[in-house]
Amino acid sequence: MSTPTPNDPIRLTQFSHGGGCGCKIAPAVLRDILADTPFASNLAAAYPDLLVGIEHGDDAAVYRLNDEQAIVATTDFFMPIVDDPFEFGRIAATNALSDVYAMGGRPLFALAIVGMPIGKLPNDVIRQILAGGESVCKAAGIPIAGGHSIDAPEPIYGLVGIGVVDPRKVKQNGGGQAGDCLILGKPLGVGIYSAALKKGLLSPDQYASMIAATTQLNTAGADLADTAGVHAMTDITGFGLLGHLLEITRASKLSAQVGLGRLPLLPGVDELARGGHITGASQRNWASYAAKCSSPTASPTGNAPCSPTRRPAADCW
């Protein structure tokens, strides 16, 4: 691939084989890789101050410093989901910091993770990616205090997010209780939008909705940690609603039911999905989760039970 000239339009997505959290390793494959690794079990006994580790696929690790403070640590990075370098930086940074908020924490600072095809992407484009990430951290009130960079064949950008939380208020996947209702903070459908965007079939209004959703910080998570009745939280990203909900039900030893007609969707997502604009990640996810989820039946409610290990005492739609 030749180096673009200054007049060539730069399409970031042409440099990567996948985009956004759709680049994640398929859940079933990841479980197989991690199955017998030493850090996948017995961590609690060896490190009693490690409050949250890898056991239930939580959004971040949490390590207790004292009775009132714990460190929240996470890392998240991926390849471009959009072509605009500044917006790609914003999306990647927002996604990384959201994991801190999902644990009920507040971010303190971040470190940048940068892998770029040097000589193929102009330095100015890379600079715009970093500026986009910095703008999100500024909005969150934190600095990017350092980081690490490599020359890579595909553009990769993300953050290490470091935050703080009261150890008594940490929200995990495993905190769900029978009768809890699922509340979504954002509409679903970013993956469908990104698939349509690659084919040039996303309208300007839909693109604006996509950027708004993917760059909205989940700052409410820290406040929800102080709210009575909130028992579990998670950040819905590359594994989709069913995948992340399944993580909650497994960790909480419950099942859940989803009323598909009640789900908030980005504008036009239904039509795009029916038109075949789905991601490769959605197919990998379903291959990993199908055995634990049943699809909608012809019942009047159109409700889809998920992970039928044990029915909750009350269903919420």
Side-chain angles (χ1 to χ4, degrees), residues 20-92:
C21 283
C23 299
K24 285 184 175 181
I25 296 174
V29 176
L30 185 59
R31 284 198 302 273
D32 182 62
I33 292 171
L34 298 177
D36 297 320
T37 53
F39 54 83
S41 60
N42 302 319
L43 281 180
Y47 303 94
D49 286 320
L50 182 63
L51 303 183
V52 182
I54 196 175
E55 296 83 359
H56 300 302
D58 278 287
D59 295 286
V62 180
Y63 193 92
R64 178 173 49 210
L65 298 178
N66 52 55
D67 290 342
E68 297 180 349
Q69 293 177 312
I71 291 293
V72 182
T74 184
T75 182
D76 216 317
F77 52 90
F78 49 56
M79 288 168 280
I81 191 174
V82 296
D83 289 318
D84 184 292
F86 186 80
E87 298 297 2
F88 167 47
R90 291 179 68 209
I91 292 168

Side-chain angles (χ1 to χ4, degrees), residues 203-243:
S203 73
D205 286 345
Q206 289 172 326
Y207 180 77
S209 295
M210 176 182 175
I211 296 299
T214 53
T215 59
Q216 177 187 335
L217 286 167
N218 293 333
T219 53
D223 295 324
L224 289 172
D226 290 326
T227 303
V230 177
H231 304 128
M233 293 194 296
T234 194
D235 185 30
I236 299 173
T237 52
F239 295 158
L241 172 61
L242 286 185

